Amino acid sequence: MLRRLIISPWMRQADLSRELGVSRAAIRQIWRRFQSRNSLAVRGSVQYAQLGLHKMFGWAWDRGKSDTLDKFSRWLDMSPFVYLQLRSSMSSMLDNRVYFEALLPDDLRLSWFREQLGRFMKPPYNLHLEYDFAIGTEYHMNLGAFDGKRWHLQDAFRFGTSMDATLQYLDILPVTDIPVPQIAQNVSTEKLVIASCLEREYYCSSSDVERQFVALNLKPPSQRTLRRRINSIRTELASPFVEIDNLDLDQRILVCVSGTHERPRVMKLLMVQARAFPNVCIAWGTRLAVLDIFMPSEVEWVPVSSAFVQLSNHEAVVCTLLCESKERRKALEQVIPYLISADATN
Amino acid sequence: MVSEQYPNDNIVTPYDHLIPSVDDPSAQFYLRAIRIYLGLCAGTVGFEDAICLVDSLKTYPEFTKNPTDPTVLPLSETVKARLLDNLQTLKKYNLCDVDSVRSAYSFAFLQDNAPLSESDYSVLQYLIKDPTAPLKKIAAAAGVTPRTAARSIQRLRERNGIRVVSIVDTGVFGLDSFILFFRLQDGVELENIEVGLATFPFTKSMLVNRMTRYGYVGLLFPSSPQNRNVLKASVRELIGTLFAECTIHDQLATGANVSLRLFKDGVWQSPDSLISERSTSCLDEVQLLYPSRHDPSFTRIDYAIASQFRLAVRDSSLTIAQRLRSRGFSVSPERVHQTIRRLKRRRLILPHVLLGGLNLTTNFCFEIRCDQAQHQQVLSLIPSVPSSLYYLSSKGAILWLHLPSTYQVKYLQLFKSLEQTEGIRSVTPILTLTAPGSRSMLDLEKNWKYTPQGWYVEPQRLNLAKWLMQTLSTR
């Protein structure tokens, strides 16, 4: 059931029951078991640009003994628009790194945030910092190497050679170039609230959304209106993906690609290779890209990291980070109170 | 025997159909090493022939970056199967660039996870304590027969990549050992520097990390004040040009340690408890070999014997004599035995166990810049590391650590925290996939002139700056 759901995350329990030839009661039972043991959820990957929001991602690092990175990390903690911050326990550069993601409205708050980032890059902080705006985000899960108990992944050598081989025919691979999205203007509060519920649960109910309105001190539309709006917004700007825990994917590796110019080939390679990983979120901008990969703990980080780092060339630099935090993304959920309150004030 | 596919060499293996044909000399180097190893496994290449073939390997600059010698590696069915598997993968993907071929070779030898039996563990424990102990003594201590002990040692070598080797005091032969730890200047082509360092006649070992651009080069050359001055002056010229920074570490002492008590029930334990117990009293476990003054009574023959002894300390004098004969030294087993006894009596060697496997898959090299007074602080951490080599200098220390990946972050943080100690100025790590090796003492000796007073080289030959600049200008 899980394999089928991962391949087709839009399938509802009734669809799965038909597809697998199993009763709906049985599917419901298995689903509940996965929910309770593995926190199974079908979430929505939202196109933030259509909500008038910029998704920013980036990383900062320092080599020395200064506490600049700690200061930057504390500043990120305090920012209401930063919804993810990951600290490296080790990096391929053997320095200290912080990775962050933020959702920013297309107004003065965006320019203020960028100014603050610029401040950290100048004296007295002199922090090394790179950031970009995400053009696209994808989530992939691949249970092909999972037998129900253990993962049987390629060893690091085969992984490296398959990447080298892919590089050779990269130009003929049908990876579609997604254009830089247009940022929508005058997005309604209602749309933001519904999108935040879809992000948490792709098939959220009108009751779920109503509760969210109330929690935000907003008057919800009628149930009928909500149902209509949810269906329309879901189709317009959300794609489903499966999120599941406790599958022994306890090791988190971030692969950060920094291009010297737009759309380096390495970025295309990693977008293609991403589907081979057990669990990955890939985000890319014009110059930077990041793969957030969850791997089994028995996979040796050093050889896998070497395989990625060897892709560095004059076009792009690849750095890998090992992160202890297993924190998941809750982008809109975290940011929306600050978007709504500002809107309410306005 | 001459191969049809490779008419210019005399290696034949049953697997030649898997070996790609390449033009890149660096890729050729690894493929040749693979063929020598497979030939030894298949019995189509004799040991003496293999030694001569390895000599031809040493003409490749890649050898200095990765000084691999298939004749000292344990012949293992597991490694052979991995090599063949990796060659098939290269063929499948039609890959023959140096990075892929190097990976095919290196990954095949990466760690062997064969479990240790109780008797193997007991034998290993005693070997670590006394690497040159006779079989009877090891057997008595481990509670097994000498035959069982011998089989254990063989198994440890073949299945777990464990070797018994030795550090040799090169000072007694009138030689100086230096390590230069550097960071490459931005904009300098790393590959060109690598080739320059690899072909420098006095380079014993080297490592340059592509990402961080930190690296080191170990040098061995005939000792004289003029030689040292020329080298140091040339390094000063390199700072600000090819190197952003460089520290010259002159050898004060070297050593090696294995802390097998961290290995329980087939798993390496967290070092936490040992770290909290850490004190200068545990320095008793940390063995050091200090370079002696030149003693001209140790001749070139003694040097040759020491060079072979250090690779396999438990080999018999007869085996060492045979290996030397293949290298053009006519030495009797009695002479070999005499020299080894002399080296032991004068404490000019430090035999130790090299743990090639046992899940120690993470390799760090640390440069620690500190005053000599802080050496004790640095060494106090050594007993909490599963396997380590260390080199002390007037500028600090260089450590090579072999760790389980489970605790790689813990150890990195532990050693980085040394920066909080007064007197320790910096701790710079380099992470490597494989443990680095070094060129053989005999290979280096070919670049020196032997006189009755000892070895000699023209001081200007130690001008590393001139050498590197010349290399860069020709590339």
Side-chain angles (χ1 to χ4, degrees):
Chain A
M1 189 206 88
L2 190 58
R3 278 187 214 275
R4 199 68 194 88
L5 183 65
I6 284 168
I7 293 168
S8 314
W10 56 85
M11 284 184 119
R12 306 192 81 150
Q13 291 185 26
D15 303 318
L16 286 166
S17 158
R18 260 193 310 277
E19 180 78 13
L20 298 170
V22 174
S23 72
R24 283 169 74 162
I27 293 290
R28 200 178 314 122
Q29 200 182 31
I30 296 168
W31 190 290
R32 281 202 188 129
R33 200 158 50 225
F34 270 128
Q35 272 181 319
S36 105
R37 287 185 197 170
N38 303 90
S39 309
L40 172 69
V42 178
R43 306 214 187 274
S45 174
V46 169
Q47 291 171 45
Y48 300 115
Q50 294 193 40
L51 296 171
L53 299 170
H54 296 268
K55 174 177 166 177
M56 182 193 278
F57 68 101
W59 45 86
W61 69 95
D62 76 12
R63 272 210 164 85
K65 302 183 221 181
S66 79
D67 60 355
T68 304
L69 199 64
D70 288 335
K71 285 182 178 148
F72 180 66
S73 177
R74 281 197 292 275
W75 176 78
L76 289 173
D77 264 336
M78 291 193 308
S79 169
F81 302 108
V82 173
Y83 62 85
L84 182 72
Q85 191 191 153
L86 298 171
R87 196 91 192 228
S88 68
S89 48
M90 212 152 108
S91 82
S92 57
M93 297 292 279
L94 292 176
D95 52 20
N96 303 307
R97 298 212 166 202
V98 164
Y99 171 80
F100 67 94
E101 287 180 11
L103 266 187
L104 295 145
D106 189 37
D107 56 28
L108 284 175
R109 287 169 287 185
L110 171 64
S111 40
W112 180 87
F113 193 87
R114 290 180 78 168
E115 266 168 41
Q116 296 309 301
L117 292 180
R119 190 170 65 89
F120 273 101
M121 289 161 79
K122 290 185 199 142
Y125 302 106
N126 294 314
L127 191 65
H128 299 282
L129 176 63
E130 287 191 294
Y131 66 90
D132 200 352
F133 293 99
I135 297 172
T137 303
E138 285 179 3
Y139 293 85
H140 297 287
M141 195 152 188
N142 185 343
L143 284 192
F146 189 59
D147 66 7
K149 284 191 185 139
R150 283 192 64 211
W151 291 89
H152 301 277
L153 294 172
Q154 282 184 326
D155 61 42
F157 169 68
R158 256 148 281 282
F159 169 66
T161 47
S162 75
M163 282 213 290
D164 284 341
T166 309
L167 260 177
Q168 289 179 26
Y169 52 88
L170 202 57
D171 292 327
I172 61 168
L173 284 174
V175 172
T176 319
D177 264 344
I178 298 173
V180 176
Q182 294 282 356
I183 303 293
Q185 302 294 322
N186 304 317
V187 175
S188 68
T189 302
E190 188 184 274
K191 197 171 183 180
L192 279 172
V193 176
I194 293 172
S196 76
C197 294
L198 288 170
E199 191 185 61
R200 192 173 57 239
E201 197 182 330
Y202 185 70
Y203 285 119
C204 57
S205 65
S206 52
S207 309
D208 294 331
V209 179
E210 190 180 40
R211 272 193 291 275
Q212 178 71 332
F213 269 94
V214 169
L216 291 167
N217 288 327
L218 299 167
K219 185 165 180 284
S222 68
Q223 284 275 326
R224 195 176 158 191
T225 307
L226 272 179
R227 276 192 294 274
R228 220 177 28 184
R229 297 257 164 87
I230 289 168
N231 286 335
S232 139
I233 293 170
R234 181 189 293 127
T235 312
E236 185 194 340
L237 52 73
S239 316
F241 68 94
V242 171
E243 195 175 88
I244 186 165
D245 290 335
N246 297 330
L247 284 187
D248 191 30
L249 296 175
D250 293 330
Q251 187 169 206
R252 188 175 201 166
I253 300 173
L254 290 182
V255 181
C256 302
V257 181
S258 170
T260 50
H261 56 268
E262 284 190 14
R263 312 278 175 93
R265 293 178 84 234
V266 163
M267 210 187 275
K268 192 176 175 184
L269 166 71
L270 291 176
M271 284 164 68
V272 167
Q273 286 287 120
R275 286 154 224 273
F277 297 115
N279 189 351
V280 64
C281 169
I282 174 167
W284 65 95
T286 50
R287 215 179 45 81
L288 304 187
V290 64
L291 276 76
D292 183 1
I293 308 172
F294 285 88
M295 299 261 236
S297 45
E298 67 254 21
V299 168
E300 295 282 347
W301 174 72
V302 173
V304 167
S305 172
S306 289
F308 280 117
V309 161
Q310 268 180 34
L311 298 172
S312 297
N313 53 25
H314 62 279
E315 276 191 353
V317 172
V318 181
C319 175
T320 59
L321 277 60
L322 191 61
C323 299
E324 281 180 7
S325 166
K326 305 291 174 288
E327 187 189 341
R328 297 284 195 173
R329 288 168 177 78
K330 289 177 188 171
L332 272 175
E333 192 179 327
Q334 227 168 286
V335 166
I336 199 166
Y338 303 97
L339 297 171
I340 300 294
S341 65
D343 281 354
T345 309
N346 291 340
Chain B
M1 280 193 283
V2 174
S3 159
E4 279 178 16
Q5 195 175 350
Y6 302 94
N8 295 326
D9 69 31
N10 49 2
I11 313 170
V12 174
T13 82
Y15 317 105
D16 284 345
H17 60 284
L18 287 174
I19 310 280
S21 183
V22 299
D23 293 326
D24 183 313
S26 297
Q28 279 176 0
F29 165 80
Y30 290 105
L31 291 172
R32 217 170 150 75
I34 288 173
R35 290 179 68 228
I36 294 170
Y37 186 84
L38 291 175
L40 283 168
C41 287
T44 52
V45 173
F47 192 72
E48 301 233 344
D49 287 338
I51 292 176
C52 297
L53 290 166
V54 166
D55 273 344
S56 73
L57 268 186
K58 292 171 186 176
T59 60
Y60 291 83
E62 191 70 19
F63 181 82
T64 311
K65 285 191 259 174
N66 192 357
T68 186
D69 182 348
T71 62
V72 302
L73 297 169
L75 297 183
S76 151
E77 280 301 313
T78 310
V79 171
K80 176 184 141 194
R82 278 198 213 130
L83 267 175
L84 294 175
D85 215 8
N86 292 351
L87 286 173
Q88 269 157 357
T89 301
L90 289 183
K91 194 171 180 182
K92 177 180 164 187
Y93 289 114
N94 195 26
L95 290 169
C96 52
D97 59 288
V98 61
D99 284 336
S100 304
V101 174
R102 185 194 299 125
S103 295
Y105 183 69
S106 310
F107 276 96
F109 290 96
L110 269 186
Q111 55 122 354
D112 223 320
N113 286 334
L116 287 189
S117 67
E118 213 176 291
S119 57
D120 288 354
Y121 183 89
S122 304
V123 164
L124 178 60
Q125 232 178 354
Y126 199 83
L127 265 183
I128 288 167
K129 196 173 127 193
D130 187 356
T132 57
L135 267 179
K136 268 190 185 165
K137 223 171 164 183
I138 299 174
V144 298
T145 64
R147 199 171 168 189
T148 304
R151 285 214 194 104
S152 279
I153 294 174
Q154 194 179 355
R155 256 196 313 273
L156 287 169
R157 187 177 144 82
E158 286 171 7
R159 289 191 201 168
N160 304 98
I162 291 170
R163 291 166 52 209
V164 188
V165 297
S166 180
I167 298 172
V168 171
D169 172 11
T170 48
V172 76
F173 296 103
L175 303 170
D176 268 338
S177 168
F178 280 81
I179 294 182
L180 310 181
F181 198 97
F182 56 83
R183 183 166 60 86
L184 288 181
Q185 190 78 289
D186 288 338
V188 168
E189 281 284 344
L190 187 144
E191 287 77 16
N192 294 340
I193 299 294
E194 272 191 325
V195 169
L197 292 175
T199 54
F200 188 54
F202 310 101
T203 296
K204 187 156 175 276
S205 60
M206 59 173 281
L207 176 71
V208 187
N209 184 285
R210 275 186 193 185
M211 288 308 299
T212 63
R213 294 171 72 80
Y214 276 102
Y216 69 82
V217 58
L219 305 171
L220 188 69
F221 53 88
S223 175
S224 81
Q226 297 93 324
N227 289 349
R228 285 194 286 276
N229 289 342
V230 166
L231 175 71
K232 287 178 183 175
S234 73
V235 169
R236 279 195 293 273
E237 275 181 51
L238 288 169
I239 298 172
T241 53
L242 301 181
F243 295 157
E245 52 187 273
C246 180
T247 307
I248 304 175
H249 291 270
D250 51 324
Q251 185 186 14
L252 293 183
T254 49
N257 188 68
V258 172
S259 293
L260 198 67
R261 65 173 180 273
L262 284 167
F263 192 67
K264 284 182 180 129
D265 302 321
V267 168
W268 289 98
Q269 308 299 310
S270 167
D272 289 333
S273 58
L274 288 185
I275 292 165
S276 57
E277 282 167 23
R278 165 183 144 208
S279 66
T280 47
S281 63
C282 59
L283 288 171
D284 295 339
E285 299 177 34
V286 177
Q287 297 181 85
L288 287 167
L289 185 69
Y290 296 89
S292 318
R293 285 179 140 189
H294 180 203
D295 182 346
S297 69
F298 280 93
T299 64
R300 187 173 177 246
I301 297 292
D302 295 314
Y303 178 83
I305 292 168
S307 76
Q308 298 308 299
F309 170 75
R310 69 171 270 266
L311 296 175
V313 146
R314 296 194 65 83
D315 277 357
S316 67
S317 302
L318 176 64
T319 307
I320 294 176
Q322 281 170 343
R323 269 214 300 275
L324 283 168
R325 204 171 303 123
S326 317
R327 286 177 163 80
F329 288 87
S330 182
V331 178
S332 68
E334 291 73 30
R335 177 62 200 277
V336 169
H337 178 74
Q338 221 175 31
T339 297
I340 293 171
R341 214 170 55 186
R342 223 173 135 214
L343 289 169
K344 280 182 185 172
R345 208 168 47 232
R346 291 269 303 265
R347 296 187 192 212
L348 299 170
I349 52 171
L350 184 58
H352 61 95
V353 168
L354 206 56
L355 295 187
L358 286 193
N359 282 331
L360 297 178
T361 51
T362 297
N363 299 288
F364 273 114
C365 171
F366 282 97
E367 185 216 28
I368 299 170
R369 280 192 248 177
C370 64
D371 307 325
Q372 282 183 54
Q374 302 311 321
H375 281 165
Q376 305 288 301
Q377 277 294 325
V378 173
L379 292 177
S380 70
L381 287 180
I382 292 296
S384 54
V385 176
S387 174
S388 56
L389 291 163
Y390 34 93
Y391 176 105
L392 303 181
S393 77
S394 58
K395 296 282 167 55
I398 311 238
L399 313 177
W400 293 267
L401 311 182
H402 313 299
L403 313 165
S405 59
T406 341
Y407 301 118
Q408 59 192 349
V409 174
K410 203 165 266 206
Y411 278 106
L412 176 64
Q413 288 168 347
L414 173 66
F415 279 86
K416 282 292 281 178
S417 72
L418 280 172
E419 281 176 335
Q420 315 300 328
T421 308
E422 199 178 316
I424 294 182
R425 286 180 289 284
S426 67
V427 176
T428 306
I430 303 179
L431 187 58
T432 70
L433 192 55
T434 51
S438 66
R439 281 170 80 186
S440 129
M441 287 162 65
L442 277 185
D443 295 334
L444 289 161
E445 192 253 353
K446 289 175 190 161
N447 298 301
W448 314 329
K449 190 176 166 189
Y450 190 70
T451 71
Q453 290 77 39
W455 280 284
Y456 170 81
V457 291
E458 192 61 52
Q460 279 309 314
R461 290 187 63 207
L462 278 146
N463 190 331
L464 180 62
K466 190 174 168 192
W467 179 272
L468 288 178
M469 293 301 187
Q470 269 172 358
T471 309
L472 289 177
S473 65
T474 57
R475 289 179 67 81

